[in-house]
Amino acid sequence: MGQLAVNGGAKTRTKSFPGWPVFDEREVKAVEEVVRSGRWGCLTGPNTSEFEKKFAAFQDAKYGVCIVNGTAALEVALRAVGVKAGDEVIVPPYTFIASATAVLLLGAIPVFVDIDPDTYNLDPSKIEAAITDKTKAILAVHIAGGPADMDGIMAVAKKHGLKVVEDAAQAHGAAWSGRRVGAIGDAGTFSFQASKNLTSGEGGMVVTDDPDVYAKAWSLHNVGRVPEGEWYEHRILGWNMRMTEFQTAILLAQMERLEDQMKTRDANARYLDAELSKIEGIRPLKRLPRATSHAYHLYIFRYDPKAFGGVPRSKFLQALGAEGIPCSSGYVPLYKEELFYVEPDGCPMGCAFYGRKMDYSKVHCPVCENASYNESVWLGQNVLLGTNEDMDDIARAVRKIRQNAGELADG
Ligand SMILES: Cc1ncc(COP(=O)(O)O)c(C=O)c1O
């Protein structure tokens, strides 16, 4: 009988980690109040506009517009800053698919630029080489809730006259150099989907400091209406991407816990950083000094098979899961997704439709590929809502696997 749980040994941990979402009677009461009010839509009820103001202020932004989800929020934000069909948008390949599909759905073209090996965020030093006369914007994704290098990204954008949209879907409360993310660039987007650190099941928001971007985003999400216009007056081509009062009532209640949850995640992540760093072959992602607040939507560490007797990451993950630590391998590079190859002309809808053929099979971002295929190990944000002892279990399980790696190499 092997000592590792994956080989039949005793598990390091049998208790489960804290569940998600966290809720109590506040959410129940908030939804009940909306039901009883009969004001279920955001055009008549008070919750959506209250939440827009509160959450935008929380992110140090002047304006917020609630949008049905984070993917749609990206489309709205990109269009609001002026991205049009045929434009190119710089996108990191290590992110959720929406960061690229929102670009494609506008008929624009994602151009992938590699990530930084220490943060897994867009590497500002690699952006300039990808800029062409068609480049319109940079999508700065704050991956895992760790703020991207906004100084580097904003400097390149300024030099080349590009717009910056922040994909902060995972970064509620994250801050760069003391300023919360979202409106550091021209616009930013959030997701309130079920797994996110602030959630209403589904939902999203565009934030900005620019009154014109705000007005455009508001109009785009409300079928082209303008605030001072008539009900049946549609000045631009817009979508209906409005959220409901049920969702924003829940979000207002969820916000009451957010600061405390952020503190817990932060303290546990720092503790885990210290513990895991003591184990040879394990390197947590780096937190840059200017990343003054990290949302820790994910806790990511880097695994080096060489220090584990050559055991591939897939086996390590299996073993860690068997020890009672829920974990996963994370994203594949977006340009490897089938959608970039299966459309009729050999390229996705946007590119084919606008007569440009992009051959994504030639894209090669080595840092992202190493992160995706060899190195990254993900823990979910709910794990970080546990105690120091819970974090000790994680470190203990990793140490146990390292000490007994021979069992996996042989198996
Ligand atoms: C980085 C990133 N961008 C965009 C999205 C899209 O958000 P949603 O799922 O709300 O459409 C997500 C979330 O899933 C995400 O993690």
Side-chain angles (χ1 to χ4, degrees), residues 69-71 74 95-96 98-99 141 167 169-170 191 193 196 203 331:
N69 56 55
T71 308
L74 277 170
T95 172
F96 183 62
S99 309
V141 184
D167 182 344
Q170 305 182 357
S191 165
Q193 171 268 341
K196 298 299 186 296
Y331 301 125

Side-chain angles (χ1 to χ4, degrees), residues 138-162:
I138 302 171
L139 192 68
V141 184
H142 304 299
I143 211 66
D149 177 352
M150 291 308 290
D151 294 341
I153 291 168
M154 295 303 288
V156 183
K158 193 166 172 212
K159 184 170 166 196
H160 294 271
L162 305 177

Side-chain angles (χ1 to χ4, degrees), residues 197-215:
N197 298 17
L198 187 69
T199 182
S200 48
E202 297 288 351
M205 193 185 280
V206 172
V207 298
T208 182
D209 272 0
D210 182 333
D212 296 332
V213 171
Y214 167 67

